[in-house]
């Protein structure tokens, strides 16, 4: 399926970016051996791409499954959550996004890509901000919606299931990584850790 046909350029660029950024997060955390990834070029940067088809497909289908919800302005955040062996979240990479679908001016794709490129550069050097994960950790991609899609009016509502992810009892420690605010896209990337209390 060609994803480039019917959506706005800013949504297409955002989804392509999220796919690469999430893969970069998983690579950065060392969940899989480095041989599970291969070097590719994206936005004139060297990035990692998952070699294993199931890993690549999970990331791809999770991100592109958000398309109808981003177009309806329902998605507030996309998170890559890492869990310990007890299934408790120990670290979250959060992509908080706002896409202005009513933006009427022509979007300069090169400008938008230039701004998003800086996120990938910053992400690649953010390892010192993260915690070391145990060898038996797991991870998942979670989307947080502003409101739940109506199952009676949206055929895509059944694609996503409510999460049973445990929440932290205290507000998390937040470490900003990068943000941009412009038309038609605003994006923040930050890291959350459980509070030490």
């Amino acid at each position: 399926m060609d994803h480039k046909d019917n959506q706005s350029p800013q949504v297409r660029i955002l989804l392509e970016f999220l796919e690469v950024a999430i893969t970069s997060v998983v690579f950065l955390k060392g969940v899989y051996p480095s041989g599970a990834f291969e070097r590719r070029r994206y936005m004139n940067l060297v990035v990692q791409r998952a070699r294993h088809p199931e890993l690549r497909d999970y990331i791809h289908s999770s991100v592109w499954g958000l398309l109808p919800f981003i177009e309806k302005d329902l998605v507030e955040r996309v998170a890559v959550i890492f869990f310990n062996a007890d299934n408790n979240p120990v670290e979250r990479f959060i992509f908080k996004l706002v896409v202005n679908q009513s933006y009427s001016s022509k979007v300069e794709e090169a400008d938008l890509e230039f701004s998003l490129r800086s996120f990938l550069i910053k992400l690649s050097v953010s390892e010192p901000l993260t915690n070391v994960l145990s060898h038996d950790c797991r991870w998942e991609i979670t989307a947080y919606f502003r409101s739940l899609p109506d199952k009676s009016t949206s055929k895509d509502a059944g694609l996503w299931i409510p999460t049973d992810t445990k929440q932290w009892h205290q507000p998390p420690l937040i470490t900003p990584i990068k943000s941009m605010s412009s038309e038609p896209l605003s994006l923040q990337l930050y890291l959350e850790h459980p509070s030490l209390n």
Side-chain angles (χ1 to χ4, degrees):
M1 172 159 75
D2 188 3
H3 296 290
K4 297 180 181 181
D5 289 342
N6 296 324
Q7 75 273 0
S8 64
Q10 62 263 26
V11 171
R12 177 185 51 80
I13 291 168
L14 173 64
L15 291 173
E16 289 172 356
F17 163 78
L18 283 173
E19 189 172 351
V20 171
I22 289 170
T23 303
S24 298
V25 166
V26 174
F27 175 78
L28 174 82
K29 293 305 299 171
V31 176
Y32 304 105
S34 60
F37 299 88
E38 59 189 0
R39 294 164 54 106
R40 296 285 184 166
R41 276 200 146 335
Y42 175 71
M43 293 186 185
N44 208 22
L45 284 174
V46 175
V47 296
Q48 300 296 325
R49 178 175 181 242
R51 295 177 83 159
H52 195 283
E54 288 180 27
L55 174 58
R56 192 169 56 240
D57 185 57
Y58 169 67
I59 296 170
H60 177 81
S61 61
S62 296
V63 170
W64 286 92
L66 291 171
L67 173 63
F69 306 110
I70 289 175
E71 288 177 330
K72 294 173 186 158
D73 196 32
L74 293 175
V75 178
E76 179 184 23
R77 293 171 289 155
V78 177
V80 182
I81 307 174
F82 294 91
F83 299 87
N84 63 15
D86 297 327
N87 210 30
N88 292 315
V90 293
E91 194 165 66
R92 292 183 180 133
F93 283 81
I94 307 287
F95 297 88
K96 185 174 181 179
L97 48 108
V98 176
V99 180
N100 183 353
Q101 295 289 351
S102 62
Y103 186 71
S104 58
S105 299
K106 174 149 175 39
V107 175
E108 290 297 327
E109 290 186 34
D111 293 342
L112 190 54
E113 287 178 352
F114 181 79
S115 296
L116 291 173
R117 185 177 183 269
S118 63
F119 279 82
L120 296 172
I121 293 169
K122 193 77 168 174
L123 191 56
S124 69
V125 296
S126 64
E127 186 175 13
L129 305 173
T130 67
N131 294 335
V132 175
L133 298 174
S134 64
H135 69 285
D136 54 355
C137 72
R138 70 173 193 83
W139 65 278
E140 70 183 22
I141 299 169
T142 300
Y144 295 90
F145 287 59
R146 288 182 178 84
S147 62
L148 293 175
D150 185 3
K151 288 186 178 182
S152 64
T153 60
S154 174
K155 64 178 175 48
D156 301 308
L159 295 175
W160 286 79
I161 56 173
T163 184
D164 59 354
T165 299
K166 296 177 186 175
Q167 301 299 318
W168 292 314
H169 297 292
Q170 301 292 323
L173 298 173
I174 296 176
T175 306
I177 296 176
K178 181 77 177 138
S179 67
M180 69 175 243
S181 183
S182 65
E183 288 296 338
L185 175 65
S186 295
L187 182 66
Q188 291 180 329
L189 171 58
Y190 55 92
L191 190 57
E192 289 184 350
H193 291 107
S195 180
L196 300 176
N197 296 347

